[in-house]
Amino acid sequence: MFEQWPEGLEPQCRRIVDPPMRVRVRLAAAIARDAPAKANEIALRVRAEGLVLDEIVDGELLGWCRSNRGDWLGVVDIELHTSNRLGRLPLRQLIPAGAIERADER
C-alpha cells in the first residue's frame, strides 16, 4: 500500500493495520460536499439513483497515514450505495480519523 512512500525519520508518518480492522465510517464527516440543493430542485431519478453520503457504513481499516498538517487519515475500504439500494460503489478512500470508529464500539 505504501510502496511508493519511502521510509524517513522516526516515528513514521504511515502505519499498516495488520490484520485489517472492521470499522464504521460516518460518511457525512468523511466526504466533503457542496451545500445541499433543495429536494424539489433534484430530479427524482437522481434522488433514487444517487449515492447516499449521509449514513454510517461498515468498512475495513487497512492503514493510517499522516498529512503534512499533522492529522491522521485512515485508508479504508468501504462500499457506498444508491438511495434505491440497487447500485453500489466499492472504493478505497482516505477517511479523517474523526469519522472512523471501531465496529465493536457501537
Side-chain angles (χ1 to χ4, degrees):
M1 168 176 19
F2 297 122
E3 295 83 13
Q4 302 302 313
W5 189 347
E7 292 185 23
L9 302 173
E10 293 291 332
Q12 296 292 316
C13 289
R14 59 197 169 33
R15 297 181 191 145
I16 293 175
V17 176
D18 187 27
M21 180 187 308
R22 291 184 58 238
V23 294
R24 308 270 293 153
V25 175
R26 289 182 299 111
L27 293 177
I31 299 176
R33 302 183 300 177
D34 293 330
K38 295 178 184 169
N40 63 351
E41 296 175 349
I42 303 171
L44 288 175
R45 178 189 58 77
V46 174
R47 286 194 280 175
E49 296 179 0
L51 294 173
V52 178
L53 298 178
D54 56 0
E55 64 183 357
I56 298 173
V57 298
D58 293 322
E60 189 171 59
L61 178 65
L62 306 172
W64 290 102
C65 53
R66 203 161 195 190
S67 79
N68 66 342
R69 293 176 34 194
D71 49 331
W72 284 97
L73 302 164
V75 180
V76 184
D77 283 342
I78 56 176
E79 188 169 273
L80 305 180
H81 296 96
T82 58
S83 292
N84 61 14
R85 295 290 188 199
L86 297 177
R88 62 186 180 85
L89 177 65
L91 62 114
R92 182 164 290 170
Q93 180 78 25
L94 288 175
I95 306 288
I100 301 170
E101 64 181 40
R102 294 175 69 107
D104 56 8
E105 288 183 359
R106 290 196 125 219

